[in-house]
Structures are given as C-alpha cells and as structure tokens.
C-alpha cells in the first residue's frame, strides 16, 4: 500500500495497479487546497473532473500536467474504460469534483 503520491512520482510499476486519489478540492479559494492534494494532482497521469472548466484553473495553479478528463453523469463509457485501463496499467488517476470532497 502506498502512503502518498510522492512514493511513486513519475514511476509506473509493471503489473502493479495505479492508485486512484480522491482529492478534496477547495470551494471558492484555490489557495485552500492541501499540499498533499496538490501533490496528488501533479503526480496523476489523468485528472477526472465533473466540470473541466472549473478544474483547469486549479491544475494550472499547482502545475499539474496530467490529462484532464470530463467525468460526470454523461461521461462516455469509452472514457471511463480508458481511466480504468490506466489504473490497471500502473498509472495514477486523481478524481475531483467542483463541489468539495468528491462522492463515490
């Protein structure tokens, strides 16, 4: 079990699944994001978000360069499958919502 994104930053372990980081995002003030949340966003290959227009400024602020993916009630099954393949392939994925702590 990995304790933080920095344990795996920039690495993919063959045969070992990646981690899904559920990141609590700030409501109203981007500076309220925790250091660990920012680290998870920077280390993720993909960031799944309900509204990419609201999440993009947060990712830019913390220097996250992963692929930003729209993941809401209308997400295409192919996109969900791609995220699952990334996780199974050893890549880390972050999940955020624009309403604070995401619900699963």
């Amino acid at each position: 079990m990995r304790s933080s994104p920095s344990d795996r930053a920039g690495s993919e372990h063959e045969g070992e699944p990646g981690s899904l980081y559920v990141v609590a995002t700030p409501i109203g003030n981007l500076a309220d994001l925790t250091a660990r949340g920012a680290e998870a966003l920077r280390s993720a290959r993909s960031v799944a978000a309900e509204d990419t227009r609201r999440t993009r400024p947060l990712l830019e602020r913390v220097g996250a360069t992963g692929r930003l993916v729209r993941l809401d009630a209308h997400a295409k099954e192919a996109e969900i499958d791609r995220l699952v393949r990334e996780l199974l392939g050893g890549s880390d994925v972050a999940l955020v919502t624009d309403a604070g702590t995401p619900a699963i």
Side-chain angles (χ1 to χ4, degrees), residues 7-91:
D7 294 341
R8 290 173 34 96
S11 68
E12 294 181 17
H13 300 275
E14 190 173 327
E16 185 178 333
S19 293
L20 175 64
Y21 292 102
V22 179
V23 180
T25 56
I27 299 173
N29 187 342
L30 297 181
D32 289 340
L33 181 67
T34 66
R36 189 165 182 188
E39 181 183 353
L41 294 174
R42 283 191 296 270
S43 71
R45 170 176 273 184
S46 295
V47 176
E50 286 177 302
D51 186 342
T52 57
R53 297 167 298 175
R54 295 185 70 143
T55 303
R56 187 169 282 111
L58 176 65
L59 299 180
E60 290 172 357
R61 179 180 179 95
V62 301
T65 59
R67 183 175 70 97
L68 181 57
V69 179
R70 181 176 149 222
L71 188 63
D72 60 12
H74 306 291
K76 295 182 178 167
E77 192 170 321
E79 193 59 63
I80 296 167
D81 289 344
R82 182 175 177 179
L83 290 169
V84 170
R85 282 193 309 275
E86 284 185 24
L87 285 164
L88 292 175
S91 296

